[in-house]
Structures are given as structure tokens and as C-alpha cells.
Amino acid sequence: MSSPIINDDQWLQLLEYVAETYNDVTLSRGFTYFKQQRVASLIISDARVVQAKVEEEESGNYRVILNLDKPRSSQCSCPVPASCKHMAAVWMELGDRLGYPASQIMNAKMHLKRITSTTSLESTLLQLPKMDVSGWQKFLNHYTSLIKSTYDLGNYVDMLRMQLQNITKITIPFSDMDQIFFDMHQELFILRKLKEQNVQGGVSSYTSFTLYRVYDEIHTWLKQKSPLPNFTIAGVRLEQTLDYIRQQMAEESGHNYQDYGVYTALWKHWVAPDPEASHYVTKEIEALETMTMDSPSPSLSAVKAFLYLQQSRSKEAWEALEENGIFKEAPAKLFIPFLDYLYDTQKWEELVNWLRKSAAFFNRKRTKELDVYADLWTKAIVQLPQAEEHMWTILEELLPYSFRIIEEMLYEQRKWKPWLEMQIIQGHDPLYHRVNVLQPIEKETPKLLLPYYHQAIDHYVSLKNRHDYKLAVRLLKRLDKVYKKMKQTERWEHFFSGFVERHSRLRALQEELRKGKLLG
């Protein structure tokens, strides 16, 4: 707590006096004396005059008189005419006793700069509600300018976030809507800084990981905040934000599509649910058509196509995608917002049409986009069963990347025969799976499991070692249960007796059969 002898304003005046009249060497020496507790006595009179004694090891003691109201008239009995280390030590001791850090006296110039910077920052922060979003971005750029990128971009993002969190320590007169948009622009700012680092340092798998992580975090944030925006109140902020993202897309090259992804996510979670969404579609298409004429970019073309689709202009949407010269090289993620929109709006025939037209772009190693694509197919055929044949044809065309997807679909749809054929092709056997995987087949069509079990048993026996004999016995016991499920115990007994006779010379196998209680 500060003392009434000196208030905060008077302390700042004292710091200004010290910064003007003391050099750094003197303050450093005075701080050393202060830490060594050489200020032996300190008395403050009613006239606001401080009298103190500073001890010297070799020269004895020096008497210091400080005038709180007229610090320039302060005196010391040492040979130095003014602003000596003894006086500095007493100023520090005085501040310490009155609740002010002595370090502020020693670093008076730096502390005053910090205060000035803080005051300027507070003033700027209070102006943020009056700025447009481009002003916000300029402010965020300046506010984080001292944070330098490192090789570890994950650490760079953490440092940016820590710096931005300091803004919350000052109360800004934002409306609820402005606060939401300002929070979003902090996320967009971090994404922009990461992209700048990629351009400067080149893209590696390490930097890409951080970039995609931040990109996913923005998607999650937009989805979480989707119930909050009210564009009746914040329509201008929305238009400014869409314009900002369009400008970012215009600067993108190649097939990055990060800002395109943010734009379509913003549209899906925030704009589309709004009753006035069609109004924004019209305005955005007009702006995009102008921009693509002046500065064509893959992202801008993709967004224009995305908005055409909102107006049920499917053919024009596809043509807008194709108008870009490098469309054939487009990544699969470009199409996900289109497919999601058609699914969300339950336009099933159009969804199937787009799934078929975009299939070639998913013909790459399995990614989450390919999983999403396949999932949308399964959802579409629930509504349009007649499209199932198209789905299987396309998934076959996407082999080998779709192999696991086909396998999973066959299992989910309980198409046991082709599923088992895929297991055999891959060299699997019943022991490859957990028991509960095969249980539905045992229950519904146990007959289909017979070739699977018989082939595996023959294989393990052919290896002719005790370990594999044990595995063969495990399979025989399970096969016994399958025959019982089929109510064909006689068929099992006929098979098993022939099996034992066929392998009667394999003593180790016979022993394992006895241990497994299959032989008496």
C-alpha cells in the first residue's frame, strides 16, 4: 500500500526527476548501497524533509537531506555536488519504506517508458470499438511486433496467444457482438502470422502441422460460437469480416485454401442459419465476381462456386470451379464444404451428382477427407437406395486407397460374404479378429464362416510346429461351436474324425488335441 506521504502522482514526478538528473552508473551504485543496507537511519519531518545517514566503509558516514516537495534542493555531505550515489540510495530506501519498489528508482527511465507505453496502449484499446476490422488487424500486428518467430511454430503460436491474453486485463467498452468478432479476429490474426512464416521459411511437415492445428481450432471455435451472433446488430462487422477473409484469399497462391476453409466454415455455422442469409449471398457474389476479374485466385473461385450452390445454381458452381486453370490439381478438401452443404440442405440427388463428379479428386492416399467422402455416400444411399450401385463402382475405382473403407462399409452393412472374401484376400484368419467381430456372422449366417475356419486350420497344421498346432486347436474348438450353431453336429463329427485320421502321425498335434479336450 502507498503512504499518504507520497501518492502515486508524486511518485511518478519523483521518477521523472531521477530520470533527468541521475545517470545509470550512479543509480546502479546507489542500488548496491541500498541492498547492502547502508542507509543507517531515515527520518521524515512534518515539513516533508527527509534526513538520513549513509555509511561508508572507508570514508565514514555521509549526511543526506532530501526535500520531497523540492527534490532539486536536496543535499549530501559527500564531495559530489549533486545527484550522488548516497542520495540515490536514500531515495530507494524511502520508496521501499513507503511501499514503492526501489527498482523503479534504479530503472526510472525504463519504468517511465513502460508507463507511457501502457497509457498509450490503454488509450488505443479504448478506441478499438470504433475501429473497423482492418484496424483491429493492424493493432494486433503492432501489439505483437516484439514476438519473433522461432523454428518451433507451436511455441510461436503459444507466445502470440499469451501476449494477446494481456488485452483482457484492460476493460474495453465492446458490445457483446463486437467482443465475439474481436475474439474471432485474434484467431484469424494468428492464422495470418503462421501463413506469413510459411512463406518466409518454406513449408515443412512441422510447420504444416501447426498451421492445420490452428486452422482446426478456428473451425471448432466458429462452431462453438455459432448460436451467439446476431447480424441484425452486427451485420456491418460480418460484412467487414467477410471482406477481410476475401482479401486474404486473394493473396493465397496454389492450393492452400486455409482462408477458403475459414470462409466456408463461417458461412456454414454463422451465416447460413440467419434468416437474411440470401441477402449476404447476393452481396458476396457481386464482390467475388469483381475480385475474380481483377485478381483471379483458386480460393476466390472456389468461394464463388460455393455461394452459387447456395442459390441452387449447381451447374454454374461447377463451372466456376473449372474456370481456374489449376482446377485439376485441386485437393479433396476443396469439395468437402460443397458436399456438406448439400447434405445439410438434404438435396440428395444433387449430393449424389457432386459425389460422382468429385470422385477423381479423392483418388489419393486415405485421408480424413476420403473418410468424410465415403461417409456422405453412405448417408446419401439411405435416402436414395438406387444410388448404391454408383457408390460401389466409385469406391472400386478408388482402390487401393478405399480398401479399408470398403471393408468397413461391408461390415457395417452386414454384407458378410464379400467382407469375408476380403479377409481371405488379405491373408487374415479368424484369430486375426476379436471374437465379438465374428459373433454377428455366427448368429446370422454361420455357414459363411466354414471356408474361413477350414482354410485357417489347414494353414496352421501345415506349418508343423507346436505353437501353430495350438492355434489350430483353438480354431477347431471355435469351428465346433459354428457347426452347433448350424445344428449340424453330425457334419462336424464326420469332418473331425477325418481330420484326426488324416493327421494321425503328427504326435504333437494329437497331444494338443487332447489338451484341448477334443480327443479322449
Side-chain angles (χ1 to χ4, degrees), residues 133-134 185 236-250 263 266 284 287 291 300:
V133 300
S134 63
H185 276 272
V236 173
R237 287 294 187 208
L238 173 64
E239 291 179 9
Q240 291 174 355
T241 300
L242 292 171
D243 182 60
Y244 168 78
I245 302 175
R246 285 201 309 272
Q247 296 300 327
Q248 292 297 303
M249 285 190 288
Y263 186 102
L266 175 64
E284 282 297 291
M291 291 183 73
L300 289 175

Side-chain angles (χ1 to χ4, degrees), residues 17 65-68 70-76 81-82 87 91:
Y17 157 71
I65 299 174
L66 305 179
N67 189 320
L68 297 180
K70 298 177 181 179
R72 295 183 186 279
S73 65
S74 300
Q75 305 171 28
C76 178
M87 293 169 68
W91 283 121

Side-chain angles (χ1 to χ4, degrees), residues 69 135 217 238 271 352 371 413 452 466 498:
D69 294 324
E217 288 170 353
L238 173 64
V271 185
V352 169
D371 289 336
Q413 296 180 22
Y452 200 30
R466 188 172 290 273

Side-chain angles (χ1 to χ4, degrees), residues 3-6 41-52 63-70 90 94 97-98:
S3 165
I5 294 171
I6 293 181
S41 64
L42 190 148
I43 300 170
I44 306 172
S45 71
D46 293 339
R48 294 173 55 77
V49 172
V50 177
Q51 296 190 41
R63 184 166 172 264
V64 174
I65 299 174
L66 305 179
N67 189 320
L68 297 180
D69 294 324
K70 298 177 181 179
V90 175
L94 174 67
R97 293 192 183 190
L98 298 182

Side-chain angles (χ1 to χ4, degrees), residues 348-366:
W348 306 116
E349 291 186 3
E350 204 59 57
L351 174 58
V352 169
N353 185 32
W354 276 73
L355 285 167
R356 294 177 67 183
K357 288 198 294 186
S358 62
F361 296 91
F362 292 88
N363 194 15
R364 294 156 194 176
K365 68 178 181 179
R366 186 173 180 180

Side-chain angles (χ1 to χ4, degrees), residues 33 37 40 55 66 92 122-123 151 173 186 196 203 256 269 292 298 316 348 351 353 367 399 419 426 429 459 476 511:
Y33 274 30
Q37 299 182 338
E55 297 176 342
L66 305 179
M92 294 176 194
E122 290 184 9
S123 176
Y151 178 76
Q186 291 182 64
E196 288 173 0
V203 180
N256 293 321
H269 299 303
T292 50
E316 290 172 86
W348 306 116
L351 174 58
N353 185 32
T367 60
L399 286 169
W419 183 81
Q426 294 175 83
D429 63 56
H459 169 69
L476 284 164
E511 288 176 11

Side-chain angles (χ1 to χ4, degrees), residues 38-143:
R38 294 197 183 196
V39 181
S41 64
L42 190 148
I43 300 170
I44 306 172
S45 71
D46 293 339
R48 294 173 55 77
V49 172
V50 177
Q51 296 190 41
K53 181 174 65 175
V54 180
E55 297 176 342
E56 282 273 15
E57 293 179 355
E58 298 177 358
S59 309
N61 300 331
Y62 290 105
R63 184 166 172 264
V64 174
I65 299 174
L66 305 179
N67 189 320
L68 297 180
D69 294 324
K70 298 177 181 179
R72 295 183 186 279
S73 65
S74 300
Q75 305 171 28
C76 178
S77 61
C78 77
V80 179
S83 307
C84 66
K85 61 186 177 183
H86 309 105
M87 293 169 68
V90 175
W91 283 121
M92 294 176 194
E93 180 69 26
L94 174 67
D96 184 67
R97 293 192 183 190
L98 298 182
Y100 292 98
S103 59
Q104 290 186 6
I105 293 286
M106 183 183 134
N107 300 299
K109 292 178 182 177
M110 182 66 71
H111 187 68
L112 288 170
K113 282 183 180 179
R114 191 175 294 121
I115 291 171
T116 302
S117 175
T118 302
T119 303
S120 175
L121 172 62
E122 290 184 9
S123 176
T124 303
L125 287 172
L126 294 175
Q127 296 300 312
L128 286 173
K130 300 176 183 177
M131 296 181 189
D132 60 17
V133 300
S134 63
W136 289 352
Q137 290 291 328
K138 290 175 184 176
F139 161 77
L140 294 171
N141 205 55
H142 176 73
Y143 184 65

